[in-house]
């Protein structure tokens, strides 16, 4: 069947523009509505993508001909828009993080459970990267033994509020986004660690700083140490300190009989352990077999099971908010459990 999409909010344009373009060219999907509240930005979208763009989220997400709503709004708007969609009987694919706070996240999880509709969180998109998928296979096969610790880092530049903007806008507005550089990408990294370790976060110790962009009201640097219930340790470093065009993301996973690494700067996977040869081995990652939007379409057609849920998105947010509480108090903090 053709999966019919409504896009509601494209403030998170780094992800949203690619998602919209992918649906427009997908033979098994159709864009039937796009809404973006800022009228001038809506005109930009019309010109860029060659499709009509309205400004009413409610009109877009409640249409009878919509199967799934893709929400790439600013964080402060996500829970409201997604709730409208769920109450209208639509499935949802939503940007990260799911809400500004845990009260809104808990209400959203309750709505998902009550309506029984599909909720796919973009938090889990890193699970679909070809290297992480291969690493998960090797971990499950015992190639590096029992997991011990991992380190993830993303050094990005200061985000642009919109293409061509010179300021970060809502990304650095604490009334519209629950943090700065750390949660911007750590919500992905927390999800990856929970998935790879197969365990929940027990406690977090974090620190934040402004080491380059001292003029913004949120951190441009964050570093957290995450202790998991199964004894594994993870460290996450996420920043907005890179020069434009010089972002770098890397992951290292350590087991008691080997290690796995991937670095975007080299584009290579490195690994050692039970692979039949001694020392470090190297390979180019396999080509991507799917992506977040492709996965959403496959789930709508019943061809794949959802890789994550609203409950998992809530756990990712709780861990990131515990990080900020730790940075504020100087103490290790346990994530707030779901009600």
């Amino acid at each position: 069947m053709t999966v019919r999409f409504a896009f509601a909010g494209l403030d998170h344009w780094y992800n949203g523009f690619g998602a919209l373009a992918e649906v427009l060219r997908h033979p098994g999907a159709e864009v039937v509505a796009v809404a973006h509240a800022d009228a001038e930005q809506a005109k930009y979208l019309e010109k860029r993508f060659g499709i009509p763009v309205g400004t009413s989220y409610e009109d877009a997400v409640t249409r009878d001909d919509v199967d799934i709503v893709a929400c790439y709004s600013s964080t402060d708007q996500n829970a409201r828009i997604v709730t409208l969609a769920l109450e209208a009987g639509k499935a949802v694919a939503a940007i990260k993080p799911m809400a500004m706070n845990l009260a809104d996240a808990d209400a959203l999880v309750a709505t998902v459970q009550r309506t029984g509709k599909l909720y796919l969180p973009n938090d889990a998109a890193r699970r679909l990267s070809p290297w992480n998928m291969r690493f998960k296979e090797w971990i499950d096969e015992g190639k590096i033994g029992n997991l011990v610790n991992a380190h993830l880092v993303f050094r990005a530049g200061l985000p642009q509020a919109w293409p061509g903007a010179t300021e970060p806008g809502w990304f650095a507005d604490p009334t519209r986004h629950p943090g700065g550089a750390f949660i911007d990408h750590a919500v992905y990294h927390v999800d990856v660690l929970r998935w790879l370790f197969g365990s929940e976060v027990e406690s977090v110790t974090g620190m934040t700083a402004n080491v380059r962009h001292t003029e913004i009201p949120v951190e441009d640097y964050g570093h957290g140490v995450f202790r998991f219930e199964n004894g594994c340790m993870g460290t996450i470093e996420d920043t907005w300190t890179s020069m434009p065009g010089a972002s770098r993301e890397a992951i290292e996973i350590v087991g008691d009989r080997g290690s796995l690494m991937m670095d975007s700067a080299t584009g290579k996977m490195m690994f050692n352990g039970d692979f039949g040869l001694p020392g470090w081995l190297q390979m180019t990652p396999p080509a991507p077999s799917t992506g977040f939007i492709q996965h959403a379409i496959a789930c709508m057609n019943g061809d794949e099971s959802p890789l994550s849920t609203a409950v998992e998105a809530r756990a990712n947010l709780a861990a990131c908010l515990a990080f900020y509480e730790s940075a504020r108090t100087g103490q290790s903090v346990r994530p707030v459990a779901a009600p």
Side-chain angles (χ1 to χ4, degrees):
M1 76 174 194
T2 298
V3 179
R4 300 167 299 179
F5 278 78
F7 277 76
L10 284 156
D11 306 274
H12 212 301
W13 62 275
Y14 290 96
N15 287 286
F17 284 15
L20 177 55
E22 186 170 350
V23 175
L24 286 171
R25 64 175 176 262
H26 196 289
E30 179 185 2
V31 177
V32 298
V34 179
H36 187 77
D38 185 295
E40 286 303 312
Q41 292 177 353
K43 292 178 182 177
Y44 171 92
L45 293 169
E46 288 187 339
K47 183 176 181 180
R48 177 164 182 151
F49 292 99
I51 53 177
V53 178
T55 56
S56 170
Y57 296 138
E58 184 170 6
D59 288 350
V61 306
T62 59
R63 287 175 53 141
D64 291 338
D65 57 352
V66 169
D67 301 312
I68 182 169
V69 172
C71 184
Y72 289 89
S73 69
S74 56
T75 307
D76 61 310
Q77 295 294 313
N78 184 68
R80 180 182 69 84
I81 297 169
V82 168
T83 298
L84 282 173
L86 293 167
E87 296 287 6
K90 314 303 181 185
V92 167
I95 194 58
K96 52 76 189 178
M98 70 188 310
M100 290 288 291
N101 53 62
L102 291 181
D104 289 347
D106 289 335
L108 183 49
V109 169
T111 302
V112 172
Q113 294 173 337
R114 176 172 52 80
T115 61
K117 305 307 294 184
L118 175 69
Y119 181 99
L120 289 173
N122 187 253
D123 307 32
R126 290 298 195 276
R127 300 189 195 187
L128 296 171
S129 70
W131 51 90
N132 284 335
M133 293 175 73
R134 182 60 56 86
F135 288 166
K136 185 68 164 65
E137 291 174 4
W138 287 343
I139 289 167
D140 291 347
E141 292 168 0
K143 296 288 190 183
I144 63 170
N146 297 314
L147 294 183
V148 178
N149 64 278
H151 177 65
L152 296 91
V153 58
F154 196 156
R155 298 193 181 97
L158 192 67
Q160 296 173 282
W162 195 251
T166 58
E167 300 293 334
W170 74 269
F171 287 103
D173 183 345
T175 69
R176 302 188 67 191
H177 196 233
F182 187 77
I183 197 171
D184 190 28
H185 294 114
V187 71
Y188 293 129
H189 293 160
V190 168
D191 184 81
V192 166
L193 288 181
R194 291 179 52 254
W195 175 59
L196 293 178
F197 289 163
S199 182
E200 296 301 325
V201 176
E202 179 181 272
S203 63
V204 186
T205 304
M207 64 165 290
T208 61
N210 286 79
V211 296
R212 179 170 182 164
H213 302 287
T214 57
E215 75 284 0
I216 61 176
V218 293
E219 83 285 351
D220 69 359
Y221 177 91
H223 190 107
V225 179
F226 292 73
R227 182 184 296 276
F228 285 76
E229 292 175 354
N230 65 357
C232 290
M233 299 294 295
T235 57
I236 296 174
E237 181 182 2
D238 282 304
T239 83
W240 288 338
T241 57
S242 291
M243 291 293 290
S247 294
R248 172 178 172 261
E249 186 169 15
I251 180 172
E252 179 182 14
I253 308 159
V254 180
D256 60 10
R257 296 204 310 274
S259 301
L260 310 171
M261 296 177 63
M262 172 65 193
D263 193 323
S264 68
T266 64
K268 299 294 184 181
M269 297 164 57
M270 296 182 65
F271 47 97
N272 64 76
D274 184 18
F275 294 97
L277 292 170
W280 282 102
L281 306 174
Q282 180 176 291
M283 66 177 282
T284 299
S289 58
T290 189
F292 182 65
I293 288 296
Q294 289 173 298
H295 174 67
I297 294 168
C299 287
M300 293 297 293
N301 284 324
D303 298 327
E304 294 180 13
S305 297
L307 79 165
S308 187
T309 65
V311 171
E312 294 208 60
R314 192 266 184 206
N316 296 332
L317 177 61
C320 288
L321 295 181
F323 163 86
Y324 284 115
E325 180 66 11
S326 173
R328 186 185 70 81
T329 63
Q331 303 293 321
S332 293
V333 173
R334 183 183 296 271
V336 175

